[in-house]
């Protein structure tokens, strides 16, 4: 088997938004009849998935920002001691 060495062509992490876009593209490739109830449900599910991914991206950005602020506060408190 492989000795698990990393190569230059190492796989990168795919974001949830990219995965949702991929699923959307797969659905589009199926060329489903847009008038059927099943297609409408699938489209609604993928729309929701895309919205949830955008919300998660925003939350991750907010958490990162807050983490930076907490680090700054911690550093300031350390300087006061």
């Amino acid at each position: 088997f492989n000795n698990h060495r990393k190569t230059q062509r190492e796989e990168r992490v795919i974001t949830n938004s990219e995965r949702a876009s991929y699923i959307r593209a797969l659905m589009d490739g199926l060329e489903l009849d847009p008038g059927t109830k099943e297609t409408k449900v699938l489209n609604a599910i993928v729309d929701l998935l895309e919205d949830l991914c955008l919300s998660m991206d925003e939350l991750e950005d907010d958490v990162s920002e807050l983490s930076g602020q907490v680090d700054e506060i911690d550093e300031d408190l350390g300087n006061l001691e």
Side-chain angles (χ1 to χ4, degrees), residues 19-21 25 36 43 46 48 57-59 61-62 72 81:
R19 292 169 65 195
S21 294
T36 66
N43 280 324
V46 174
L48 174 62
D57 290 343
E58 291 173 5
L59 285 172
D61 290 344
D62 291 345
E72 288 177 20
E81 294 177 345

Side-chain angles (χ1 to χ4, degrees), residues 36-51:
T36 66
K37 293 177 184 178
E38 293 84 359
T39 302
K40 290 177 183 179
V41 169
L42 289 173
N43 280 324
I45 290 170
V46 174
D47 287 343
L48 174 62
L49 180 61
E50 290 171 336
D51 290 345

Side-chain angles (χ1 to χ4, degrees), residues 2-33:
N2 189 343
N3 63 3
H4 295 48
R5 280 188 291 167
K6 305 270 182 183
T7 65
Q8 288 180 335
R9 298 176 66 188
E10 181 178 312
E11 290 185 39
R12 69 178 186 85
V13 176
I14 298 172
T15 66
N16 288 327
S17 293
E18 290 171 328
R19 292 169 65 195
S21 294
Y22 176 72
I23 292 170
R24 168 70 71 193
L26 287 175
M27 278 192 43
D28 291 344
L30 292 175
E31 297 179 6
L32 300 172
D33 179 0

Side-chain angles (χ1 to χ4, degrees), residues 67-81:
S67 178
Q69 292 173 355
V70 167
D71 289 343
E72 288 177 20
I73 292 169
D74 184 48
E75 186 177 313
D76 290 344
L77 287 174
N79 291 337
L80 290 175
E81 294 177 345

Side-chain angles (χ1 to χ4, degrees), residues 49-68:
L49 180 61
E50 290 171 336
D51 290 345
L52 289 172
C53 288
L54 289 174
S55 293
M56 282 182 53
D57 290 343
E58 291 173 5
L59 285 172
E60 288 171 352
D61 290 344
D62 291 345
V63 166
S64 179
E65 183 180 335
L66 286 173
S67 178

